[in-house]
Amino acid sequence: MTATGSADLVIVANRLPVDRVTEDDGTPGWRKSPGGLVTALEPVMRQNDGAWIGWPGNTDEEVEPFVDEGLSLVPVSMSADEVEEFYEGFSNGTLWPLYHDVVAKPAFHREWWEAYVRVNERFAAKAAEVAAKDATVWVQDYQMQLVPKMLRELRPDLRIGFFLHIPFPPAELFQQLPWRRQILEGLLGADIVGFQLAGGAANFVRLVRQRVGHKTHRDTVYLPDGRTVRAAAFPISIDSAGFEELARSETVGERALQIREALGNPERILLGIDRLDYTKGIHPRLRAYSELVRDAQFDVEDTVFVQVATPSRERVDQYRILRDDIDRLVGRINGDLGRIGRPAISYMHSSYPRHEMAALYRAADIMVVTPYRDGMNLVAKEYVACRFENDGALVLSEFAGAADELRQAWQVNPYDINGMKATIMEAARAQPKEVSRRMKAMRKQILEHDVDQWAADFLEALASVPGAHGKTVRPPQKG
């Protein structure tokens, strides 16, 4: 177990990389969470005597630091009120919609902000306690934006990085936030502030210049204390080789055939896999498909749309309303257009293990990924990784971060339903040679730029942060 002040690399994230489970014998245990972040950081943590700080997911017990499969994990507790105000409230009721182009209206409540400050202070204090002298601390995502500054005040010897996994909004939207300056100053505690896209980094630098008044040049902010802060894009990726290996396995191949058989061996399967979230554009996608069936472009006898919606934030009202809306829409479409044993849409509101996801990716002829706004969207990359025969078409929203890298996808504007219909049909009618050409190029991109490369690039940039800039800069403006 990592002793106080002994970790050379500390990851600070909202959640620990494990979930609480009950073992076969009834005793409580831990299971590694699915997800690319854990996969990417695990080897780096092992090499650097690392520790991961996060919330264990419960509110009824204090959990002592523990080791799971060789990883040092340091839990930070939260009360039920803090989960409601910090996590469901400020993180997901204020920041999430604000950072996703205000697809839903953000709520600004002072008590939510106070909880956000309080929880960020607790995480920063824990990181200060766990980190060795001159250690590297990598803070993850929108729930922890105040941690870099708080941590730097406690431990100025540390090298601090921050990475935002969701989009960073333009000034016109960010300026709505009553605590905009505190968030910007919080992030400026880091040496490197990483974003999914160059546009997010540019938005941040512009806001720092306008709202805080620091001198900036291109991607660099010059602070009065001599520090420089670099804002840059580090597009996150997936364990591409791991997904391909899984997709090539005999069991996944067999399961993909079983899925097709269970769906009636249709000529064509379209697939959507999303967290059930209002940013994901599930509603317009299903509407577009239903209109194609209504207009006889597709026939339920030979085509089916499989939509998997993973449960998400079930305690938040907006998410409960969204679930009811999607349930009603699917019921109406199937009632109007389906036939006995042949629904137009096969809909599952459930979570699936990675093995089943890979089988779905193998089974699907067309993957439809249409978020209104997404920081990256790893589902699109997972689909590409699983198409090792260079077949399968990807229809992708131009507002997903992944669209920057997966330029050979059939790109759509999710707000334009007619345009989406035309593009889905174009993908469905494309010649195998064209489909293969596009998929080959996308596969090259994600195999060369996988999640290990992402982590290595970020940590390398953090390790090479320059010393004091030596420039004379004015103190920041008030207000």
Side-chain angles (χ1 to χ4, degrees):
M1 189 181 302
T2 294
T4 298
S6 70
D8 292 321
L9 173 67
V10 179
I11 305 299
V12 181
N14 178 58
R15 287 295 299 264
L16 285 175
V18 291
D19 297 317
R20 179 67 96 180
V21 292
T22 303
E23 304 291 0
D24 294 340
D25 61 3
T27 59
W30 299 95
R31 181 181 58 217
K32 192 194 292 183
S33 309
L37 188 62
V38 190
T39 309
L41 297 180
E42 186 179 335
V44 192
M45 286 178 65
R46 291 189 195 283
Q47 289 158 22
N48 291 280
D49 188 23
W52 188 304
I53 295 171
W55 177 52
N58 52 25
T59 58
D60 52 359
E61 62 174 325
E62 291 275 343
V63 183
E64 290 298 313
F66 63 98
V67 175
D68 182 75
E69 294 185 13
L71 293 182
S72 294
L73 305 177
V74 184
V76 174
S77 64
M78 274 190 242
S79 69
D81 284 348
E82 284 170 339
V83 172
E84 189 180 324
E85 293 176 352
F86 153 78
Y87 180 70
E88 293 166 2
F90 195 78
S91 295
N92 293 313
T94 303
L95 294 174
W96 181 267
L98 184 69
Y99 282 31
H100 286 87
D101 284 3
V102 194
V103 170
K105 188 173 169 52
F108 303 111
H109 297 301
R110 286 169 291 180
E111 61 275 21
W112 289 2
W113 165 252
E114 287 158 10
Y116 187 80
V117 173
R118 198 163 60 246
V119 171
N120 272 246
E121 281 172 344
R122 193 175 308 145
F123 275 79
K126 186 59 73 177
E129 180 189 317
V130 168
K133 181 166 171 44
D134 300 324
T136 293
V137 179
W138 192 1
V139 184
Q140 306 288 332
D141 223 1
Y142 64 107
Q143 304 95 342
M144 300 281 131
Q145 291 175 104
L146 303 180
V147 168
K149 182 187 179 191
M150 292 169 170
L151 182 55
R152 185 160 299 283
E153 287 170 352
L154 294 168
R155 291 286 305 275
D157 60 301
L158 299 175
R159 198 164 283 250
I160 302 169
F162 178 90
F163 183 75
L164 184 68
H165 292 254
I166 68 174
F168 190 80
E172 294 76 12
L173 296 179
F174 187 83
Q175 284 169 178
Q176 294 179 27
L177 187 64
W179 307 280
R180 58 201 181 189
R181 186 179 177 117
Q182 290 96 313
I183 294 286
L184 295 171
E185 289 178 337
L187 293 171
L188 287 169
D191 298 296
I192 298 264
V193 185
F195 300 87
Q196 299 281 20
L197 301 177
N203 288 345
F204 173 73
V205 172
R206 191 177 306 117
L207 275 156
V208 165
R209 187 170 62 248
Q210 291 171 354
R211 287 281 152 201
V212 190
H214 289 312
K215 177 181 171 58
T216 66
H217 180 64
R218 293 187 180 154
D219 65 356
T220 303
V221 180
Y222 298 94
L223 301 182
D225 65 1
R227 277 198 317 115
T228 57
V229 178
R230 182 173 164 232
F234 297 88
I236 198 169
S237 195
I238 59 167
D239 175 15
S240 312
F243 264 100
E244 176 171 334
E245 188 182 341
L246 191 59
R248 284 180 180 274
S249 70
E250 199 176 318
T251 52
V252 164
E254 286 169 1
R255 179 63 189 137
L257 291 173
Q258 286 169 8
I259 289 168
R260 289 196 83 99
E261 201 171 313
L263 292 166
N265 282 317
E267 187 182 309
R268 188 185 295 110
I269 296 173
L270 289 82
L271 174 66
I273 298 180
D274 309 84
R275 213 164 41 75
L276 188 61
D277 191 287
Y278 50 77
T279 63
K280 299 297 183 184
I282 299 171
H283 205 283
R285 170 194 320 169
L286 297 183
R287 259 191 69 196
Y289 178 72
S290 71
E291 290 183 14
L292 288 168
V293 175
R294 183 199 66 197
D295 300 342
Q297 299 293 315
F298 288 132
D299 187 325
V300 294
E301 291 299 328
D302 58 28
T303 303
V304 64
F305 197 118
V306 176
Q307 176 62 56
V308 176
T310 305
S312 169
R313 300 170 191 159
E314 305 257 279
R315 290 171 44 170
V316 179
D317 281 345
Q318 279 172 320
Y319 289 80
R320 284 198 292 259
I321 292 164
L322 176 67
R323 179 180 177 181
D324 290 345
D325 282 351
I326 299 292
D327 285 350
R328 275 195 299 271
L329 177 66
V330 171
R332 191 165 67 244
I333 291 169
N334 284 336
D336 290 347
L337 301 171
R339 299 183 196 131
I340 291 173
R342 295 285 187 175
I345 294 166
S346 183
Y347 175 67
M348 280 88 71
H349 179 250
S350 184
S351 297
Y352 291 104
R354 197 164 124 143
H355 180 277
E356 184 75 357
M357 298 272 278
L360 283 163
Y361 294 139
R362 282 282 311 268
D365 303 289
I366 302 174
M367 183 90 204
V368 189
V369 182
T370 56
Y372 290 125
R373 171 64 70 195
D374 224 335
M376 179 51 60
N377 194 288
L378 298 180
V379 163
K381 292 187 174 185
E382 289 170 4
Y383 179 71
V384 170
C386 290
R387 305 306 298 193
F388 57 86
E389 291 179 336
N390 293 317
D391 58 355
L394 174 63
V395 176
L396 178 63
S397 165
E398 61 194 57
F399 303 127
D404 263 31
E405 295 172 86
L406 304 179
R407 295 179 184 276
Q408 294 79 14
W410 276 270
Q411 295 201 5
V412 295
N413 174 355
Y415 294 93
D416 174 9
I417 290 189
N418 283 346
M420 202 185 319
K421 287 163 64 179
T423 305
I424 289 171
M425 288 312 302
E426 192 185 319
R429 290 172 176 155
Q431 292 299 312
K433 193 174 175 183
E434 171 70 359
V435 171
S436 179
R437 181 189 67 78
R438 289 174 180 245
M439 185 55 73
K440 206 173 279 185
M442 291 191 288
R443 284 179 51 74
K444 183 173 188 289
Q445 168 67 30
I446 66 149
L447 287 164
E448 287 175 2
H449 300 90
D450 64 2
V451 72
D452 292 337
Q453 188 64 52
W454 167 78
D457 287 348
F458 188 96
L459 290 169
E460 189 181 315
L462 188 53
S464 57
V465 166
H469 57 67
K471 295 179 186 291
T472 304
V473 299
R474 66 179 189 275
Q477 65 202 33
K478 301 294 181 202

PDB file of all heavy atoms in Angstrom, residues 397-428:
ATOM      1  N   SER A 397     -21.327  12.026 -36.189  1.00  0.00           N
ATOM      2  CA  SER A 397     -21.618  13.457 -36.026  1.00  0.00           C
ATOM      3  C   SER A 397     -20.354  14.294 -36.171  1.00  0.00           C
ATOM      4  O   SER A 397     -19.317  13.972 -35.586  1.00  0.00           O
ATOM      5  CB  SER A 397     -22.219  13.705 -34.642  1.00  0.00           C
ATOM      6  OG  SER A 397     -22.190  15.084 -34.325  1.00  0.00           O
ATOM      7  N   GLU A 398     -20.469  15.388 -36.912  1.00  0.00           N
ATOM      8  CA  GLU A 398     -19.317  16.290 -37.044  1.00  0.00           C
ATOM      9  C   GLU A 398     -19.036  17.030 -35.739  1.00  0.00           C
ATOM     10  O   GLU A 398     -17.999  17.662 -35.590  1.00  0.00           O
ATOM     11  CB  GLU A 398     -19.564  17.288 -38.176  1.00  0.00           C
ATOM     12  CG  GLU A 398     -20.757  18.177 -37.983  1.00  0.00           C
ATOM     13  CD  GLU A 398     -21.179  18.902 -39.255  1.00  0.00           C
ATOM     14  OE1 GLU A 398     -21.460  18.247 -40.271  1.00  0.00           O
ATOM     15  OE2 GLU A 398     -21.244  20.142 -39.215  1.00  0.00           O
ATOM     16  N   PHE A 399     -19.946  16.923 -34.742  1.00  0.00           N
ATOM     17  CA  PHE A 399     -19.761  17.590 -33.455  1.00  0.00           C
ATOM     18  C   PHE A 399     -19.192  16.660 -32.388  1.00  0.00           C
ATOM     19  O   PHE A 399     -19.129  17.023 -31.212  1.00  0.00           O
ATOM     20  CB  PHE A 399     -21.082  18.206 -32.978  1.00  0.00           C
ATOM     21  CG  PHE A 399     -21.666  19.180 -33.964  1.00  0.00           C
ATOM     22  CD1 PHE A 399     -22.974  19.054 -34.396  1.00  0.00           C
ATOM     23  CD2 PHE A 399     -20.898  20.209 -34.483  1.00  0.00           C
ATOM     24  CE1 PHE A 399     -23.514  19.943 -35.323  1.00  0.00           C
ATOM     25  CE2 PHE A 399     -21.426  21.095 -35.403  1.00  0.00           C
ATOM     26  CZ  PHE A 399     -22.741  20.969 -35.828  1.00  0.00           C
ATOM     27  N   ALA A 400     -18.787  15.455 -32.782  1.00  0.00           N
ATOM     28  CA  ALA A 400     -18.036  14.570 -31.882  1.00  0.00           C
ATOM     29  C   ALA A 400     -16.554  14.886 -32.066  1.00  0.00           C
ATOM     30  O   ALA A 400     -16.104  15.113 -33.191  1.00  0.00           O
ATOM     31  CB  ALA A 400     -18.296  13.107 -32.225  1.00  0.00           C
ATOM     32  N   GLY A 401     -15.805  14.903 -30.963  1.00  0.00           N
ATOM     33  CA  GLY A 401     -14.370  15.163 -31.075  1.00  0.00           C
ATOM     34  C   GLY A 401     -13.684  14.193 -32.017  1.00  0.00           C
ATOM     35  O   GLY A 401     -12.745  14.553 -32.728  1.00  0.00           O
ATOM     36  N   ALA A 402     -14.177  12.948 -32.063  1.00  0.00           N
ATOM     37  CA  ALA A 402     -13.569  11.913 -32.912  1.00  0.00           C
ATOM     38  C   ALA A 402     -13.644  12.257 -34.393  1.00  0.00           C
ATOM     39  O   ALA A 402     -12.878  11.717 -35.196  1.00  0.00           O
ATOM     40  CB  ALA A 402     -14.259  10.568 -32.658  1.00  0.00           C
ATOM     41  N   ALA A 403     -14.561  13.161 -34.784  1.00  0.00           N
ATOM     42  CA  ALA A 403     -14.709  13.515 -36.204  1.00  0.00           C
ATOM     43  C   ALA A 403     -13.433  14.149 -36.752  1.00  0.00           C
ATOM     44  O   ALA A 403     -13.141  14.041 -37.944  1.00  0.00           O
ATOM     45  CB  ALA A 403     -15.896  14.465 -36.387  1.00  0.00           C
ATOM     46  N   ASP A 404     -12.643  14.800 -35.889  1.00  0.00           N
ATOM     47  CA  ASP A 404     -11.380  15.405 -36.323  1.00  0.00           C
ATOM     48  C   ASP A 404     -10.393  14.354 -36.817  1.00  0.00           C
ATOM     49  O   ASP A 404      -9.612  14.608 -37.732  1.00  0.00           O
ATOM     50  CB  ASP A 404     -10.736  16.167 -35.153  1.00  0.00           C
ATOM     51  CG  ASP A 404     -11.056  17.649 -35.191  1.00  0.00           C
ATOM     52  OD1 ASP A 404     -12.158  17.986 -35.675  1.00  0.00           O
ATOM     53  OD2 ASP A 404     -10.220  18.457 -34.752  1.00  0.00           O
ATOM     54  N   GLU A 405     -10.400  13.183 -36.171  1.00  0.00           N
ATOM     55  CA  GLU A 405      -9.454  12.127 -36.523  1.00  0.00           C
ATOM     56  C   GLU A 405     -10.045  11.139 -37.532  1.00  0.00           C
ATOM     57  O   GLU A 405      -9.327  10.607 -38.373  1.00  0.00           O
ATOM     58  CB  GLU A 405      -9.048  11.356 -35.266  1.00  0.00           C
ATOM     59  CG  GLU A 405      -8.270  12.202 -34.273  1.00  0.00           C
ATOM     60  CD  GLU A 405      -8.075  11.439 -32.973  1.00  0.00           C
ATOM     61  OE1 GLU A 405      -7.096  10.679 -32.898  1.00  0.00           O
ATOM     62  OE2 GLU A 405      -8.898  11.584 -32.054  1.00  0.00           O
ATOM     63  N   LEU A 406     -11.354  10.867 -37.403  1.00  0.00           N
ATOM     64  CA  LEU A 406     -11.996   9.871 -38.273  1.00  0.00           C
ATOM     65  C   LEU A 406     -12.662  10.582 -39.446  1.00  0.00           C
ATOM     66  O   LEU A 406     -13.877  10.549 -39.637  1.00  0.00           O
ATOM     67  CB  LEU A 406     -13.002   9.042 -37.463  1.00  0.00           C
ATOM     68  CG  LEU A 406     -12.421   8.344 -36.228  1.00  0.00           C
ATOM     69  CD1 LEU A 406     -13.494   7.567 -35.484  1.00  0.00           C
ATOM     70  CD2 LEU A 406     -11.245   7.415 -36.602  1.00  0.00           C
ATOM     71  N   ARG A 407     -11.854  11.213 -40.253  1.00  0.00           N
ATOM     72  CA  ARG A 407     -12.360  12.061 -41.341  1.00  0.00           C
ATOM     73  C   ARG A 407     -12.997  11.249 -42.462  1.00  0.00           C
ATOM     74  O   ARG A 407     -13.740  11.781 -43.281  1.00  0.00           O
ATOM     75  CB  ARG A 407     -11.221  12.928 -41.906  1.00  0.00           C
ATOM     76  CG  ARG A 407     -10.684  13.936 -40.901  1.00  0.00           C
ATOM     77  CD  ARG A 407      -9.537  14.759 -41.464  1.00  0.00           C
ATOM     78  NE  ARG A 407      -8.993  15.647 -40.456  1.00  0.00           N
ATOM     79  CZ  ARG A 407      -9.485  16.841 -40.158  1.00  0.00           C
ATOM     80  NH1 ARG A 407     -10.553  17.278 -40.799  1.00  0.00           N
ATOM     81  NH2 ARG A 407      -8.937  17.592 -39.228  1.00  0.00           N
ATOM     82  N   GLN A 408     -12.691   9.945 -42.508  1.00  0.00           N
ATOM     83  CA  GLN A 408     -13.250   9.123 -43.589  1.00  0.00           C
ATOM     84  C   GLN A 408     -14.628   8.548 -43.226  1.00  0.00           C
ATOM     85  O   GLN A 408     -15.229   7.823 -44.002  1.00  0.00           O
ATOM     86  CB  GLN A 408     -12.295   7.965 -43.927  1.00  0.00           C
ATOM     87  CG  GLN A 408     -10.968   8.417 -44.522  1.00  0.00           C
ATOM     88  CD  GLN A 408      -9.996   8.911 -43.459  1.00  0.00           C
ATOM     89  OE1 GLN A 408     -10.175   8.690 -42.264  1.00  0.00           O
ATOM     90  NE2 GLN A 408      -8.954   9.606 -43.896  1.00  0.00           N
ATOM     91  N   ALA A 409     -15.119   8.856 -42.027  1.00  0.00           N
ATOM     92  CA  ALA A 409     -16.491   8.458 -41.673  1.00  0.00           C
ATOM     93  C   ALA A 409     -17.471   9.251 -42.543  1.00  0.00           C
ATOM     94  O   ALA A 409     -17.111  10.306 -43.090  1.00  0.00           O
ATOM     95  CB  ALA A 409     -16.755   8.748 -40.199  1.00  0.00           C
ATOM     96  N   TRP A 410     -18.707   8.751 -42.672  1.00  0.00           N
ATOM     97  CA  TRP A 410     -19.764   9.539 -43.300  1.00  0.00           C
ATOM     98  C   TRP A 410     -20.254  10.529 -42.245  1.00  0.00           C
ATOM     99  O   TRP A 410     -20.942  10.146 -41.291  1.00  0.00           O
ATOM    100  CB  TRP A 410     -20.901   8.629 -43.761  1.00  0.00           C
ATOM    101  CG  TRP A 410     -20.678   8.015 -45.104  1.00  0.00           C
ATOM    102  CD1 TRP A 410     -21.050   8.548 -46.308  1.00  0.00           C
ATOM    103  CD2 TRP A 410     -20.050   6.766 -45.422  1.00  0.00           C
ATOM    104  NE1 TRP A 410     -20.689   7.718 -47.347  1.00  0.00           N
ATOM    105  CE2 TRP A 410     -20.079   6.612 -46.837  1.00  0.00           C
ATOM    106  CE3 TRP A 410     -19.456   5.759 -44.655  1.00  0.00           C
ATOM    107  CZ2 TRP A 410     -19.553   5.500 -47.487  1.00  0.00           C
ATOM    108  CZ3 TRP A 410     -18.925   4.655 -45.299  1.00  0.00           C
ATOM    109  CH2 TRP A 410     -18.971   4.525 -46.694  1.00  0.00           C
ATOM    110  N   GLN A 411     -19.842  11.790 -42.372  1.00  0.00           N
ATOM    111  CA  GLN A 411     -20.117  12.751 -41.303  1.00  0.00           C
ATOM    112  C   GLN A 411     -21.461  13.452 -41.501  1.00  0.00           C
ATOM    113  O   GLN A 411     -21.858  13.743 -42.636  1.00  0.00           O
ATOM    114  CB  GLN A 411     -18.980  13.765 -41.202  1.00  0.00           C
ATOM    115  CG  GLN A 411     -17.674  13.087 -40.770  1.00  0.00           C
ATOM    116  CD  GLN A 411     -16.656  14.036 -40.175  1.00  0.00           C
ATOM    117  OE1 GLN A 411     -16.911  15.218 -39.974  1.00  0.00           O
ATOM    118  NE2 GLN A 411     -15.481  13.509 -39.870  1.00  0.00           N
ATOM    119  N   VAL A 412     -22.151  13.696 -40.367  1.00  0.00           N
ATOM    120  CA  VAL A 412     -23.489  14.286 -40.418  1.00  0.00           C
ATOM    121  C   VAL A 412     -23.623  15.408 -39.394  1.00  0.00           C
ATOM    122  O   VAL A 412     -22.904  15.449 -38.402  1.00  0.00           O
ATOM    123  CB  VAL A 412     -24.590  13.234 -40.119  1.00  0.00           C
ATOM    124  CG1 VAL A 412     -24.630  12.164 -41.182  1.00  0.00           C
ATOM    125  CG2 VAL A 412     -24.421  12.606 -38.738  1.00  0.00           C
ATOM    126  N   ASN A 413     -24.589  16.291 -39.664  1.00  0.00           N
ATOM    127  CA  ASN A 413     -25.031  17.287 -38.693  1.00  0.00           C
ATOM    128  C   ASN A 413     -26.270  16.706 -38.005  1.00  0.00           C
ATOM    129  O   ASN A 413     -27.307  16.548 -38.646  1.00  0.00           O
ATOM    130  CB  ASN A 413     -25.367  18.598 -39.423  1.00  0.00           C
ATOM    131  CG  ASN A 413     -25.979  19.639 -38.493  1.00  0.00           C
ATOM    132  OD1 ASN A 413     -26.251  19.380 -37.322  1.00  0.00           O
ATOM    133  ND2 ASN A 413     -26.208  20.833 -39.018  1.00  0.00           N
ATOM    134  N   PRO A 414     -26.192  16.357 -36.704  1.00  0.00           N
ATOM    135  CA  PRO A 414     -27.317  15.678 -36.050  1.00  0.00           C
ATOM    136  C   PRO A 414     -28.573  16.538 -35.932  1.00  0.00           C
ATOM    137  O   PRO A 414     -29.656  16.017 -35.646  1.00  0.00           O
ATOM    138  CB  PRO A 414     -26.761  15.330 -34.665  1.00  0.00           C
ATOM    139  CG  PRO A 414     -25.648  16.302 -34.435  1.00  0.00           C
ATOM    140  CD  PRO A 414     -25.058  16.576 -35.785  1.00  0.00           C
ATOM    141  N   TYR A 415     -28.432  17.846 -36.158  1.00  0.00           N
ATOM    142  CA  TYR A 415     -29.600  18.726 -36.123  1.00  0.00           C
ATOM    143  C   TYR A 415     -30.364  18.705 -37.454  1.00  0.00           C
ATOM    144  O   TYR A 415     -31.476  19.224 -37.544  1.00  0.00           O
ATOM    145  CB  TYR A 415     -29.182  20.165 -35.801  1.00  0.00           C
ATOM    146  CG  TYR A 415     -28.609  20.339 -34.417  1.00  0.00           C
ATOM    147  CD1 TYR A 415     -27.236  20.269 -34.183  1.00  0.00           C
ATOM    148  CD2 TYR A 415     -29.449  20.568 -33.320  1.00  0.00           C
ATOM    149  CE1 TYR A 415     -26.711  20.427 -32.906  1.00  0.00           C
ATOM    150  CE2 TYR A 415     -28.928  20.725 -32.040  1.00  0.00           C
ATOM    151  CZ  TYR A 415     -27.564  20.656 -31.843  1.00  0.00           C
ATOM    152  OH  TYR A 415     -27.056  20.800 -30.567  1.00  0.00           O
ATOM    153  N   ASP A 416     -29.750  18.132 -38.478  1.00  0.00           N
ATOM    154  CA  ASP A 416     -30.327  18.122 -39.828  1.00  0.00           C
ATOM    155  C   ASP A 416     -30.832  16.707 -40.140  1.00  0.00           C
ATOM    156  O   ASP A 416     -30.087  15.859 -40.631  1.00  0.00           O
ATOM    157  CB  ASP A 416     -29.238  18.558 -40.829  1.00  0.00           C
ATOM    158  CG  ASP A 416     -29.681  18.443 -42.282  1.00  0.00           C
ATOM    159  OD1 ASP A 416     -30.880  18.191 -42.530  1.00  0.00           O
ATOM    160  OD2 ASP A 416     -28.812  18.587 -43.168  1.00  0.00           O
ATOM    161  N   ILE A 417     -32.103  16.451 -39.861  1.00  0.00           N
ATOM    162  CA  ILE A 417     -32.624  15.083 -40.003  1.00  0.00           C
ATOM    163  C   ILE A 417     -32.648  14.643 -41.470  1.00  0.00           C
ATOM    164  O   ILE A 417     -32.299  13.506 -41.788  1.00  0.00           O
ATOM    165  CB  ILE A 417     -34.011  14.959 -39.325  1.00  0.00           C
ATOM    166  CG1 ILE A 417     -33.801  15.040 -37.809  1.00  0.00           C
ATOM    167  CG2 ILE A 417     -34.704  13.662 -39.707  1.00  0.00           C
ATOM    168  CD1 ILE A 417     -34.967  14.732 -36.948  1.00  0.00           C
ATOM    169  N   ASN A 418     -33.012  15.533 -42.381  1.00  0.00           N
ATOM    170  CA  ASN A 418     -32.987  15.159 -43.802  1.00  0.00           C
ATOM    171  C   ASN A 418     -31.564  14.836 -44.261  1.00  0.00           C
ATOM    172  O   ASN A 418     -31.346  13.891 -45.021  1.00  0.00           O
ATOM    173  CB  ASN A 418     -33.579  16.272 -44.668  1.00  0.00           C
ATOM    174  CG  ASN A 418     -35.093  16.299 -44.596  1.00  0.00           C
ATOM    175  OD1 ASN A 418     -35.711  15.348 -44.107  1.00  0.00           O
ATOM    176  ND2 ASN A 418     -35.704  17.371 -45.083  1.00  0.00           N
ATOM    177  N   GLY A 419     -30.624  15.649 -43.806  1.00  0.00           N
ATOM    178  CA  GLY A 419     -29.214  15.393 -44.148  1.00  0.00           C
ATOM    179  C   GLY A 419     -28.741  14.065 -43.576  1.00  0.00           C
ATOM    180  O   GLY A 419     -27.997  13.311 -44.226  1.00  0.00           O
ATOM    181  N   MET A 420     -29.175  13.761 -42.359  1.00  0.00           N
ATOM    182  CA  MET A 420     -28.794  12.496 -41.730  1.00  0.00           C
ATOM    183  C   MET A 420     -29.369  11.314 -42.513  1.00  0.00           C
ATOM    184  O   MET A 420     -28.687  10.310 -42.753  1.00  0.00           O
ATOM    185  CB  MET A 420     -29.289  12.460 -40.281  1.00  0.00           C
ATOM    186  CG  MET A 420     -28.508  11.488 -39.433  1.00  0.00           C
ATOM    187  SD  MET A 420     -29.094  11.268 -37.729  1.00  0.00           S
ATOM    188  CE  MET A 420     -29.520  12.878 -37.187  1.00  0.00           C
ATOM    189  N   LYS A 421     -30.624  11.436 -42.919  1.00  0.00           N
ATOM    190  CA  LYS A 421     -31.261  10.367 -43.711  1.00  0.00           C
ATOM    191  C   LYS A 421     -30.488  10.116 -45.001  1.00  0.00           C
ATOM    192  O   LYS A 421     -30.194   8.970 -45.361  1.00  0.00           O
ATOM    193  CB  LYS A 421     -32.715  10.750 -44.035  1.00  0.00           C
ATOM    194  CG  LYS A 421     -33.658  10.659 -42.858  1.00  0.00           C
ATOM    195  CD  LYS A 421     -34.950  11.414 -43.089  1.00  0.00           C
ATOM    196  CE  LYS A 421     -35.775  10.862 -44.224  1.00  0.00           C
ATOM    197  NZ  LYS A 421     -37.040  11.616 -44.385  1.00  0.00           N
ATOM    198  N   ALA A 422     -30.134  11.196 -45.685  1.00  0.00           N
ATOM    199  CA  ALA A 422     -29.405  11.068 -46.963  1.00  0.00           C
ATOM    200  C   ALA A 422     -28.048  10.405 -46.747  1.00  0.00           C
ATOM    201  O   ALA A 422     -27.619   9.553 -47.539  1.00  0.00           O
ATOM    202  CB  ALA A 422     -29.238  12.444 -47.599  1.00  0.00           C
ATOM    203  N   THR A 423     -27.368  10.782 -45.645  1.00  0.00           N
ATOM    204  CA  THR A 423     -26.027  10.238 -45.388  1.00  0.00           C
ATOM    205  C   THR A 423     -26.094   8.768 -44.990  1.00  0.00           C
ATOM    206  O   THR A 423     -25.245   7.961 -45.400  1.00  0.00           O
ATOM    207  CB  THR A 423     -25.314  11.068 -44.302  1.00  0.00           C
ATOM    208  OG1 THR A 423     -25.309  12.440 -44.705  1.00  0.00           O
ATOM    209  CG2 THR A 423     -23.882  10.614 -44.105  1.00  0.00           C
ATOM    210  N   ILE A 424     -27.093   8.394 -44.180  1.00  0.00           N
ATOM    211  CA  ILE A 424     -27.256   6.981 -43.812  1.00  0.00           C
ATOM    212  C   ILE A 424     -27.488   6.147 -45.078  1.00  0.00           C
ATOM    213  O   ILE A 424     -26.912   5.069 -45.248  1.00  0.00           O
ATOM    214  CB  ILE A 424     -28.409   6.802 -42.796  1.00  0.00           C
ATOM    215  CG1 ILE A 424     -28.005   7.374 -41.429  1.00  0.00           C
ATOM    216  CG2 ILE A 424     -28.797   5.328 -42.653  1.00  0.00           C
ATOM    217  CD1 ILE A 424     -29.131   7.455 -40.411  1.00  0.00           C
ATOM    218  N   MET A 425     -28.316   6.664 -45.992  1.00  0.00           N
ATOM    219  CA  MET A 425     -28.574   5.930 -47.238  1.00  0.00           C
ATOM    220  C   MET A 425     -27.315   5.846 -48.101  1.00  0.00           C
ATOM    221  O   MET A 425     -27.046   4.816 -48.728  1.00  0.00           O
ATOM    222  CB  MET A 425     -29.707   6.591 -48.028  1.00  0.00           C
ATOM    223  CG  MET A 425     -31.090   6.413 -47.428  1.00  0.00           C
ATOM    224  SD  MET A 425     -31.464   4.702 -46.948  1.00  0.00           S
ATOM    225  CE  MET A 425     -31.263   3.824 -48.492  1.00  0.00           C
ATOM    226  N   GLU A 426     -26.541   6.914 -48.102  1.00  0.00           N
ATOM    227  CA  GLU A 426     -25.283   6.912 -48.863  1.00  0.00           C
ATOM    228  C   GLU A 426     -24.346   5.834 -48.319  1.00  0.00           C
ATOM    229  O   GLU A 426     -23.730   5.080 -49.088  1.00  0.00           O
ATOM    230  CB  GLU A 426     -24.626   8.299 -48.741  1.00  0.00           C
ATOM    231  CG  GLU A 426     -23.491   8.537 -49.700  1.00  0.00           C
ATOM    232  CD  GLU A 426     -22.807   9.877 -49.452  1.00  0.00           C
ATOM    233  OE1 GLU A 426     -23.523  10.882 -49.190  1.00  0.00           O
ATOM    234  OE2 GLU A 426     -21.581   9.906 -49.497  1.00  0.00           O
ATOM    235  N   ALA A 427     -24.251   5.734 -46.995  1.00  0.00           N
ATOM    236  CA  ALA A 427     -23.405   4.706 -46.371  1.00  0.00           C
ATOM    237  C   ALA A 427     -23.941   3.308 -46.672  1.00  0.00           C
ATOM    238  O   ALA A 427     -23.180   2.378 -46.954  1.00  0.00           O
ATOM    239  CB  ALA A 427     -23.335   4.931 -44.859  1.00  0.00           C
ATOM    240  N   ALA A 428     -25.282   3.168 -46.635  1.00  0.00           N
ATOM    241  CA  ALA A 428     -25.904   1.853 -46.877  1.00  0.00           C
ATOM    242  C   ALA A 428     -25.701   1.391 -48.319  1.00  0.00           C
ATOM    243  O   ALA A 428     -25.604   0.189 -48.581  1.00  0.00           O
ATOM    244  CB  ALA A 428     -27.394   1.916 -46.542  1.00  0.00           C
TER     245      ALA A 428
END
